[in-house]
Amino acid sequence: MRGVNADSRRVTAGSPTAAPGRPATAPGKPGNGPGPVPRLAVPLAVLAAVAAAFAYVGMVDPNEPGHYPVCPLLRYAGIYCPGCGGLRSAHAFVHGDFAAALHDNALAVAGYLAFAVVWTVWAFRAARGRPLRLEPGPAHLWALGGLLLAFTVVRNLPFGGLLHP
């Protein structure tokens, strides 16, 4: 029966239907909020920025001296930081040379893959109107810090030569 909602309140034919505590919907439009395209605006913008950065690194070879700055920790202390070789890794990854990408910085390749997974989950949730909630606890952050520290220490030891960029 038109004109009566779930709360048995009278609603005129042209007015929005709203129950207490719920937002009104516009007549003739199912559901609330924007469609999937506006909801995907931020994830798509982030993807475009990351794709542009990878495209730039793919075009400008970091193996050629003078294009990118040298890691200051490597230059002044002679220690490979966790990011050393990351640009070379990204360049090799863009060109499909996954073995070279892993050799240049295996942790960076794991980061690229983790980004792809998190972005995909984010995009699917955004399309459905659900937020992405990443709430790492202290244990997760300590584990990530420990992984970075272990990677840095091992790649700077004599037996960690496979992890040198």
Side-chain angles (χ1 to χ4, degrees):
M1 174 177 174
R2 179 86 171 125
V4 179
N5 68 11
D7 292 336
S8 298
R9 294 181 184 206
R10 277 280 198 221
V11 179
T12 60
S15 70
T17 58
R22 284 190 248 152
T25 59
K29 291 186 180 178
N32 291 336
V37 173
R39 285 186 242 159
L40 286 173
V42 174
L44 289 175
V46 168
L47 181 64
V50 170
F54 266 81
Y56 180 78
V57 172
M59 290 186 301
V60 180
D61 189 359
N63 295 307
E64 304 275 328
H67 293 292
Y68 299 100
V70 177
C71 173
L73 190 61
L74 181 61
R75 171 178 267 171
Y76 298 117
I79 297 171
Y80 294 112
C81 76
C84 280
L87 288 174
R88 289 187 293 269
S89 175
H91 181 78
F93 195 85
V94 167
H95 290 278
D97 190 357
F98 302 119
L102 281 169
H103 177 266
D104 289 333
N105 193 325
L107 197 58
V109 173
Y112 310 149
L113 298 176
F115 172 80
V117 169
V118 169
W119 185 89
T120 303
V121 170
W122 181 25
F124 275 107
R125 290 182 65 88
R128 292 185 176 110
R130 297 168 55 197
L132 176 65
R133 287 195 174 33
L134 292 178
E135 298 174 4
H140 296 108
L141 297 175
W142 279 103
L144 180 61
L147 176 69
L148 289 171
L149 181 63
F151 180 73
T152 303
V153 168
V154 170
R155 77 186 320 203
N156 285 291
L157 292 175
F159 64 84
L162 288 175
L163 297 176
H164 290 178

